[in-house]
Amino acid sequence: MSETRQQILILHLAEPDLGAHTVAWALYDGSRPAGDRQMQAGDQPEPPYASVVDAMHDGWRVLQLPQLPTYPRGAEHETGPLPWEYVLERCVPMEGANGD
Amino acid sequence: MATETPMSHRLDALQMARFVVDGFVEFGNLVPDALNAQVHRDALAYPKNLGYNPNKPREFWDFSDAVREVFELPAVQGVVESLVGPDAVHDHSFLHTVAPGRREAQRWHVDSSLAVDHPRQFDILVCYFPHDSPPEMGPTLVLPGSHVRRVSYHDVTRYKNFLGQRQLSGPGGRIAFIHESLWHCAQPNKTDDWRFMFKIRYLPRVEQRGLFNPDGMDEAEIEAFYNDSNRKYAWAGDQFVAMGQAWRSWWRYLAGAA
C-alpha cells in the first residue's frame, strides 16, 4: 500500500445550501513534498468545484459545516469573514511516492 | 498639504459612490509621463530590499524629489482631500518592491484593525505604480468590495482565491486610492524587471463627510448606481443585501443626510 496524506479543501458558497455555487476556495495539500509551493493567493481564476455537492461527487468528505447565523440586535447588517465556509478532506497517495 | 485644493479637483458624487462600493478609486491620467519616468529611475537607483524601518517612515519620499512632486499635484491632492480631508497626516510611506522572478504571492491581508466607526472612519492607502505593470509583473491583487467587511489585519490569510479578485495592472502612472480595510496582497513577478509601487498612508484630521464635490449630483443617478451595484460582487453571495445596507448608510452620512 502506498502512503497517503490529507488534502484540505475549503469552499465558500454563495448560500448555506451545499449545492450553492462556490465563491471562494483554498486548497492545502499534505501530499505535496514539504517545501513545495501550496495554492497561493490569486493563482486560480476558476473554482475547482462548482459546489460542495460537486466536490462530494468527486470523493471529497465534508468535515465541517458552518453554523447558521443569529443576529444580535443592532448588528443585523454587519458582515465579516465569509459565512458559508465548508471544509472538505480526502486522503491521496503522496506525490512522488512509489506505491506498491 | 497646508492649503485645500479647489473643489474642481475633488471626486464628484458618482466617483465617491464608486469608492463606497468598490473600496477604491483609481486613475491613470493624473501624472505626466516624464514625472512617472523620473520616479521609476529613482526607484531603480534606490537601494533594493530595504525593509520598512519604522524609525525612517518616509525613506523613499525623502530620497526622491520626483515622488514628492507627484503627490503635490493638485489633481492627486484633490482625490486625497476628497477622502481624508485637508491637511491629512502622511503617517508613513514605503517603496514596495517585488524582485524579478519572485514566485511567492503575499497572503491576503488588510492594513488595519477595525476603526471604531468602520467603514465611515478610515485611513487611505495611496498606491502609485510609476511604470507599466502587466499582471505577470505582480501588481497588487485586491478584492473589490471587501472593505465593508469587519475583519482585522491577518484574519483573511486562509483564503486563497475569490470570484472577482482583481489585479491593479495597467500602464504606468496609475494611482489607486484605497480604503484601509480593502483585502489585498502582492503577486508573483514572472518578469525580469523589478516591480515598484510607492504607497503612502494618510490619516484624516477631520470628520470624513461632505468632502467630495457635490456639483451636479443627481440623487436619482446615485440611487440607480447603488441599485445596479447590488449583485456586483459574486464573492459576497447572499450577503449582497447587508452590503447594500452598509453602502447606503455610509452614503447618507457622506452626503450629510444622516
Side-chain angles (χ1 to χ4, degrees), chain B residues 56-109:
Chain B
K56 296 180 180 176
R58 300 180 180 194
E59 259 192 305
F60 187 71
W61 176 266
D62 292 334
F63 176 84
S64 170
D65 294 340
V67 87
R68 293 197 301 277
E69 205 177 318
V70 167
F71 282 82
E72 285 162 6
L73 292 168
V76 176
Q77 281 195 39
V79 182
V80 171
E81 291 178 11
S82 305
L83 299 169
V84 287
D87 204 22
V89 178
H90 175 158
D91 174 69
H92 71 278
S93 53
F94 187 63
L95 181 67
H96 292 257
T97 61
V98 182
R102 181 175 169 78
R103 304 307 291 261
E104 293 293 325
Q106 199 179 24
R107 292 173 181 153
W108 285 101
H109 63 282

Side-chain angles (χ1 to χ4, degrees), chain B residues 1-257:
Chain B
M1 274 186 275
T3 56
E4 290 187 43
T5 53
M7 268 294 168
S8 58
H9 288 297
R10 301 279 180 100
L11 295 177
D12 65 26
L14 197 54
Q15 289 170 320
M16 191 70 219
R18 196 162 285 132
F19 180 84
V20 167
V21 168
D22 295 339
F24 66 100
V25 285
E26 61 180 335
F27 297 91
N29 57 354
L30 303 182
V31 186
D33 289 345
L35 200 49
N36 292 322
Q38 184 57 51
V39 174
H40 191 196
R41 283 193 292 275
D42 289 350
L44 288 166
Y46 188 64
K48 302 292 187 299
N49 294 324
L50 276 183
Y52 175 66
N53 180 349
N55 295 318
K56 296 180 180 176
R58 300 180 180 194
E59 259 192 305
F60 187 71
W61 176 266
D62 292 334
F63 176 84
S64 170
D65 294 340
V67 87
R68 293 197 301 277
E69 205 177 318
V70 167
F71 282 82
E72 285 162 6
L73 292 168
V76 176
Q77 281 195 39
V79 182
V80 171
E81 291 178 11
S82 305
L83 299 169
V84 287
D87 204 22
V89 178
H90 175 158
D91 174 69
H92 71 278
S93 53
F94 187 63
L95 181 67
H96 292 257
T97 61
V98 182
R102 181 175 169 78
R103 304 307 291 261
E104 293 293 325
Q106 199 179 24
R107 292 173 181 153
W108 285 101
H109 63 282
V110 295
D111 281 3
S112 69
S113 59
L114 283 160
V116 172
D117 195 14
H118 168 270
R120 298 175 177 185
Q121 178 192 351
F122 59 94
D123 302 343
I124 56 166
L125 316 169
V126 184
C127 298
Y128 166 49
F129 297 85
H131 55 78
D132 292 352
S133 303
E136 61 271 21
M137 200 178 221
T140 311
L141 184 72
V142 301
L143 186 64
S146 56
H147 60 299
V148 297
R149 318 285 296 204
R150 291 180 63 78
V151 304
S152 177
Y153 286 112
H154 300 114
D155 295 353
V156 294
T157 57
R158 194 164 69 198
Y159 302 140
K160 297 302 167 195
N161 288 284
F162 302 87
L163 296 181
Q165 59 196 7
R166 186 180 151 230
Q167 272 187 283
L168 298 176
S169 57
R174 284 163 314 104
I175 306 184
F177 302 79
I178 299 178
H179 188 289
E180 64 173 359
S181 292
L182 192 74
W183 306 4
H184 66 276
C185 55
Q187 288 286 279
N189 181 356
K190 298 169 188 164
T191 73
D192 296 328
D193 299 309
W194 284 85
R195 191 226 72 175
F196 298 109
M197 184 270 282
F198 177 72
K199 181 160 81 177
I200 299 185
R201 186 182 190 107
Y202 284 113
L203 283 57
R205 292 183 193 269
V206 300
E207 199 176 10
Q208 289 158 281
R209 63 193 313 192
L211 298 173
F212 65 90
N213 181 1
D215 293 350
M217 179 164 72
D218 179 338
E219 288 184 15
E221 182 187 32
I222 298 295
E223 181 56 24
F225 172 76
Y226 284 119
N227 287 337
D228 292 344
S229 301
N230 259 348
R231 298 267 189 174
K232 185 172 183 183
Y233 295 124
W235 62 263
D238 65 354
Q239 290 195 312
F240 72 92
V241 177
M243 289 175 62
Q245 295 272 6
W247 299 336
R248 286 175 168 83
S249 165
W250 184 11
W251 180 257
R252 288 192 292 274
Y253 173 81
L254 282 169

